[in-house]
């Protein structure tokens, strides 16, 4: 007697190739999803890094503006009336808490060694001539005396030439950089500072440009006894290429009471 062997197993054998194809497709889709998630993660990390670098750079530029204001005042916070009738403490006191300034200093700057100092109304022309003699651009050690309000309106456009004429954080206002604002910010501290400020000094004039001071253009008025106006430009460069913050402010140490 002959027996016929069932052949139903051949149907299952023919389906093995389809299962393999399905597994390969699923594997490809999973790999695509992993690569997509990796790229999204890298993009988010890059965006977060750029945002963090910009915020750090912006904070450095703001600190430079405040430092320039201390340089102009020649006094440090808190700005409350002291026993000598002046707001704030001397930038370079003979001793901590003293209201006497070290010999040779005018405000925060050492006049005795030839540093150009922040002028008063009486010596404005003398200091301006001194700076002009030191540098033809009328700008030296962060103090500038431009002939009009537009000469240095775009310092960032000529940064390579202006950096050697700028001032760094704490250069004049502090003995060292171990001070609030510099600690923890590599843009301000360290040997390779990446932030600078420039102070442009003007006598107040309400007449039209190019003679008018920036304060007049903004509708601000200084005290007639000290009609001086300062425009501060602070530039900070981040740790990542392309990150740069430029801040400007018009500062009047003694504004008119009205």
């Amino acid at each position: 007697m002959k027996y016929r062997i069932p052949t139903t197993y051949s149907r299952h054998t023919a389906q093995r190739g389809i299962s393999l194809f399905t597994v390969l497709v699923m594997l490809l889709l999973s790999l695509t999803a992993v690569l997509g998630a990796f790229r999204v993660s890298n993009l988010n990390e890059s965006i977060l890094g750029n945002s963090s670098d910009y915020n750090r750079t912006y904070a450095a530029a703001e600190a430079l503006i405040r430092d320039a204001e201390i340089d102009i005042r020649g006094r440090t916070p808190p700005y409350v009336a002291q026993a000598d009738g002046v707001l704030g403490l001397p930038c370079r006191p003979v001793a901590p808490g003293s209201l006497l300034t070290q010999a040779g200093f005018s405000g925060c700057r050492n006049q005795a060694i030839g540093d150009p100092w922040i002028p008063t109304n009486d010596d404005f022309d003398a200091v301006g001539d001194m700076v002009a003699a030191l540098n033809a651009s009328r700008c030296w050690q962060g103090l500038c005396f431009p002939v009009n309000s537009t000469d240095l309106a775009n310092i960032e456009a000529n940064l390579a030439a202006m950096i050697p004429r700028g001032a760094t954080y704490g250069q004049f206002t502090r003995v060292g950089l171990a001070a609030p604002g510099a600690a923890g910010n590599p843009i301000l501290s360290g040997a390779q500072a990446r932030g600078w400020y420039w102070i442009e000094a003007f006598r107040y004039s309400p007449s039209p440009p190019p003679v008018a001071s920036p304060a007049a253009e903004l509708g601000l008025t200084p005290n007639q006894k000290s009609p001086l106006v300062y425009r501060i430009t602070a530039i900070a460069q981040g740790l990542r290429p392309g990150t740069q913050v430029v801040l400007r402010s018009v500062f009047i140490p003694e504004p008119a009471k009205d």
Side-chain angles (χ1 to χ4, degrees):
M1 180 179 294
K2 295 182 180 179
Y3 295 94
R4 185 174 182 178
I5 301 174
T7 58
T8 54
Y9 69 89
S10 61
R11 180 179 302 175
H12 298 288
T13 303
Q15 292 179 354
R16 290 177 184 176
I18 296 177
S19 300
L20 178 61
F21 178 76
T22 303
V23 170
L24 290 175
V25 170
M26 294 296 294
L27 181 61
L28 180 61
L29 291 176
S30 299
L31 181 60
T32 303
V34 170
L35 291 177
F38 183 73
R39 293 189 61 181
V40 170
S41 177
N42 280 348
L43 179 61
N44 289 337
E45 184 178 351
S46 177
I47 293 174
L48 181 61
N50 289 338
S51 177
S52 177
D53 191 48
Y54 179 83
N55 291 337
R56 179 172 51 239
T57 307
Y58 192 93
E62 286 189 321
L64 286 163
I65 292 284
R66 302 287 85 80
D67 197 57
E69 292 177 356
I70 293 174
D71 192 5
I72 293 170
R73 289 180 182 271
R75 310 280 285 202
T76 60
Y79 293 119
V80 296
Q82 304 297 321
D84 59 358
V86 183
L87 301 179
L89 298 170
C91 185
R92 298 284 184 166
V94 294
S98 173
L99 295 180
L100 299 176
T101 300
Q102 294 181 33
F105 278 85
S106 176
C108 300
R109 297 179 176 235
N110 194 345
Q111 184 177 352
I113 65 172
D115 288 344
W117 62 95
I118 305 299
T120 64
N121 191 42
D122 295 333
D123 60 8
F124 186 92
D125 292 328
V127 182
D129 292 341
M130 173 185 176
V131 171
L134 289 169
N135 191 276
S137 68
R138 302 180 62 84
C139 195
W140 192 248
Q141 292 187 339
L143 183 59
C144 309
F145 290 81
V147 295
N148 57 58
S149 62
T150 61
D151 273 2
L152 299 176
N154 297 293
I155 291 176
E156 67 277 12
N158 192 25
L159 197 54
M162 292 303 298
I163 284 177
R165 307 166 195 167
T168 56
Y169 185 86
Q171 180 176 347
F172 299 107
T173 60
R174 293 169 175 82
V175 176
L177 289 180
N185 195 326
I187 296 173
L188 299 178
S189 59
Q192 300 295 326
R194 302 175 64 86
W196 309 268
Y197 70 79
W198 296 262
I199 299 170
E200 300 172 67
F202 299 90
R203 272 201 177 99
Y204 177 79
S205 174
S207 59
V211 183
S213 66
E217 297 169 4
L218 296 175
L220 307 174
T221 307
N223 190 318
Q224 292 183 359
K225 294 181 179 180
S226 182
L228 299 182
V229 176
Y230 302 92
R231 181 170 62 191
I232 304 169
T233 300
I235 298 179
Q237 294 180 333
L239 303 181
R240 293 194 171 201
T243 303
Q244 178 171 290
V245 174
V246 181
L247 296 181
R248 288 188 180 85
S249 71
V250 174
F251 183 62
I252 301 177
E254 299 183 34
K257 292 183 179 180
D258 58 351

